Amino acid sequence: MTQDTFTIRDNSTGKEADFPLRRGTIGTSVIDVSTLNKQMGLFTFDPGFVSTASCKSAITYIDGEKGVLLYRGYPIDQLAENCSFLEVAYLLMNGELGNKAEQAEFEHEIGQHAMLHEAMRSFIDGFHYDAHPMAMMVGIVGSLSAFYHSELNMDDPEHRRISAMRMLAKMPVIAAACHRHSIGYPFVYPRADLSYCENFLNMMFSLPSQKYIDKDNYISPVAVKALNLLFILHADHEQNASTSTVRLASSTGANPYACIAAGIGALWGPAHGGANEAVLSMLEEIGSVDRIPEYIAKAKDKNDPFRLMGFGHRVYKNFDPRATIIRKACYEVLEQIPGNDPLFDLALALEEYALKDAYFVEKKLYPNVDFYSGIIYKALNIPVDMFTVMFTIARTSGWVSHWLEMMAEPGQRIGRPRQVYTGKELRNFEPPKK
Ligand code: SDX
């Protein structure tokens, strides 16, 4: 990072100090305020981290004004067009696309790690049948360190690599097991002859009574192509809330499974990855195009907690490039999978209406990645309460990439923000009055 200096002057005391202005390869420059408290006895204050860069990273770049998203420098639309999810996962984790041999070895190892410890089945069976799959995901992933004691020396790069591969490999298996548990169906084991996305669909939907894989049923090329696309688009997104959670947990030296479980918990929130499930519920509540104005008014009403789910973004003040790609994919999927979905027509009408409304235009609220993804998941018969689990599978590739990047960086320190204290001043104890 190149640097100039930035002078901060406290006008109340006349005290001033210089702070390095650091630039990355592209994008917004940063003022390095790490010595602010030492030099000037001050903290910065930035609730929600709107103007705060928490780390250096070479993985993903976003330009919110231009609606640009790059994974390791490659535009998201080019990767979506030319790669499988595991090829993108390899890129995020290793910094470069793998050649044929490297990718084959990577995918072979993913297959080797896909099986779950058999004792996990009774762990999963311990959940009530109607447990939300995300609640199960948080618990099961957090418990992985109870099953996989080896390779947990975080100072050993090979242990870190194996842990990352284990999580990438096992996430779809755990996700499908959660679904099968919730519907009382037997678990389906991963198969070495199926690709990552074929395996997931097979583990989700295949029935023991079936004599053969009914490729025209649920492992259709349309479904596999759509899943690869959705997983690529959800793979990583810079320092979003869940990735930042993984990084903060990792800064304490906690084991990787606990750190990823923390990220899953953060992703679940409706302001973040939980939005895709909330969009479907919102569309079903709106129900018809003629009720759109009523809900747009609710979204604009400051006294109404209702927000247009799937709209707005902390970084994108233009179209989320992922939403644009998913919207296009919706047309393709719904053309090929019988039964057009009226919710897609409703979503299109809602987007058109909102983007003509002065409130949404002025606040630069555009559809984000979660607005259309549920339409495709629904077309693939993925249950709505599994939508954020789908986001979890994909984002695991981003989380483990950031974890690997962070753990490999020398001089890592524990993350420990400060605060502005607004409580009582010093006072001596007096027993409460009767
Ligand atoms: C993801 O960070 C990432 O990169 C996340 C993600 C990823 O890949 O990891 O992209 C995935 O989480 C996408 C976002 C999914 N969430 C939703 O769709 C939920 C609905 N959206 C909002 O809750 C909101 O837009 C956020 C949470 C996404 C962004 O919140 P910010 O940046 O804190 O914005 P804000 O709440 O300060 O809103 C700014 C203004 C406010 O109005 P004013 O107070 O200025 O008058 O815009 C309004 C908000 O009221 N606003 C909305 C709105 N989103 C913002 N008004 C109505 N509907 C909305 N959806």
Side-chain angles (χ1 to χ4, degrees):
M1 299 201 322
T2 59
Q3 66 179 32
D4 300 317
T5 58
F6 196 90
T7 302
I8 296 179
R9 174 184 166 79
D10 181 344
N11 289 327
S12 61
T13 63
K15 201 173 176 184
E16 63 178 50
D18 288 344
F19 297 89
L21 188 67
R22 300 187 191 282
R23 291 187 179 83
T25 37
I26 48 176
T28 307
S29 298
V30 297
I31 305 167
D32 181 339
V33 294
S34 49
T35 60
L36 178 66
N37 186 229
K38 196 171 169 189
Q39 291 199 70
M40 300 192 66
L42 294 169
F43 296 146
T44 59
F45 183 61
D46 184 15
F49 308 120
V50 178
S51 305
T52 295
S54 60
C55 62
K56 291 184 291 186
S57 179
I59 298 173
T60 291
Y61 174 73
I62 307 171
D63 181 327
E65 292 303 325
K66 297 188 185 121
V68 168
L69 171 57
L70 309 178
Y71 286 169
R72 296 289 190 180
Y74 293 106
I76 189 67
D77 57 325
Q78 292 181 23
L79 293 173
E81 186 67 33
N82 296 294
C83 298
S84 71
F85 170 62
L86 283 188
E87 287 168 337
V88 170
Y90 183 97
L91 169 68
L92 290 171
M93 288 171 70
N94 296 287
E96 297 295 340
L97 288 162
N99 62 33
K100 209 168 166 57
E102 288 163 335
Q103 189 65 36
E105 173 50 31
F106 180 77
E107 298 193 13
H108 172 72
E109 190 175 354
I110 289 288
Q112 297 292 94
H113 284 299
M115 287 296 282
L116 296 183
H117 191 295
E118 195 64 7
M120 292 193 84
R121 293 180 58 139
S122 45
F123 185 91
I124 294 170
D125 282 339
F127 286 98
H128 203 259
Y129 74 91
D130 62 355
H132 193 289
M134 281 300 281
M136 297 175 73
M137 292 296 288
V138 173
I140 297 164
V141 173
S143 78
L144 285 173
S145 58
F147 290 91
Y148 299 99
H149 302 292
S150 56
E151 290 94 26
L152 282 179
N153 169 9
M154 293 300 102
D155 295 328
D156 181 338
E158 181 56 8
H159 283 201
R160 298 199 296 261
R161 190 194 66 81
I162 291 173
S163 300
M165 292 297 279
R166 273 193 174 129
M167 280 184 278
L168 190 58
K170 296 181 191 304
M171 210 55 85
V173 186
I174 295 169
C178 290
H179 170 61
R180 301 289 284 203
H181 174 71
S182 70
I183 57 174
Y185 278 18
F187 295 163
V188 176
Y189 290 99
R191 292 176 35 171
D193 62 328
L194 298 179
S195 69
Y196 194 81
C197 290
E198 285 177 336
N199 245 321
F200 176 71
L201 291 167
N202 187 55
M203 292 185 288
M204 281 285 287
F205 299 121
S206 73
L207 300 175
S209 53
Q210 244 151 344
K211 294 191 198 94
Y212 56 91
I213 292 285
D214 178 356
K215 291 244 181 204
D216 296 330
N217 179 5
Y218 48 81
I219 307 190
S220 68
V222 173
V224 172
K225 183 181 173 206
L227 262 193
N228 266 298
L229 174 68
L230 287 170
F231 284 168
I232 288 170
L233 297 176
H234 286 82
D236 192 52
H237 214 238
E238 196 215 69
Q239 305 310 320
N240 57 85
S242 54
T243 300
S244 299
T245 301
V246 171
R247 280 181 172 261
L248 188 58
S250 306
S251 75
T252 70
N255 78 69
Y257 308 110
C259 298
I260 298 297
I264 295 173
L267 185 71
W268 193 5
H272 191 12
N276 55 15
E277 181 177 346
V279 166
L280 252 288
S281 310
M282 175 187 74
L283 291 173
E284 281 163 355
E285 185 184 334
I286 294 173
S288 59
V289 174
D290 60 335
R291 295 187 68 196
I292 288 176
E294 171 195 342
Y295 280 84
I296 292 287
K298 280 169 63 69
K300 292 157 58 174
D301 179 356
K302 288 301 163 208
N303 299 316
D304 190 326
F306 175 80
R307 283 201 161 178
L308 211 56
M309 299 314 282
F311 259 76
H313 199 277
R314 170 62 56 76
V315 177
Y316 288 122
K317 301 309 171 192
N318 196 323
F319 270 93
D320 180 335
R322 303 168 296 177
T324 307
I325 296 169
I326 295 176
R327 185 200 307 120
K328 180 170 167 284
C330 281
Y331 284 105
E332 291 163 16
V333 170
L334 293 176
E335 266 163 23
Q336 298 177 66
I337 291 187
N340 191 13
D341 187 342
L343 290 183
F344 181 42
D345 298 331
L346 182 60
L348 290 170
L350 180 59
E351 176 191 351
E352 187 185 351
Y353 194 105
L355 295 186
K356 286 179 185 153
D357 183 285
Y359 173 92
F360 288 85
V361 173
E362 178 218 317
K363 293 183 187 296
K364 299 185 177 179
L365 303 175
Y366 290 88
N368 59 50
V369 69
D370 291 311
F371 188 62
Y372 286 105
S373 53
I375 302 290
I376 296 182
Y377 286 140
K378 192 165 172 285
L380 303 184
N381 293 317
I382 307 281
V384 176
D385 66 2
M386 284 286 290
F387 286 7
T388 310
V389 174
M390 302 302 285
F391 200 146
T392 301
I393 296 171
R395 189 53 55 90
T396 296
S397 60
W399 288 332
V400 298
S401 301
H402 282 271
W403 177 71
L404 291 170
E405 178 181 67
M406 172 183 172
M407 296 301 283
E409 190 175 335
Q412 273 301 328
R413 303 177 71 189
I414 190 168
R416 205 282 186 213
R418 301 303 303 274
Q419 64 177 17
V420 179
Y421 176 67
T422 58
K424 297 281 189 196
E425 292 189 54
L426 174 68
R427 55 180 172 164
N428 294 315
F429 176 78
E430 285 173 15
K433 291 179 178 53
K434 293 270 182 281

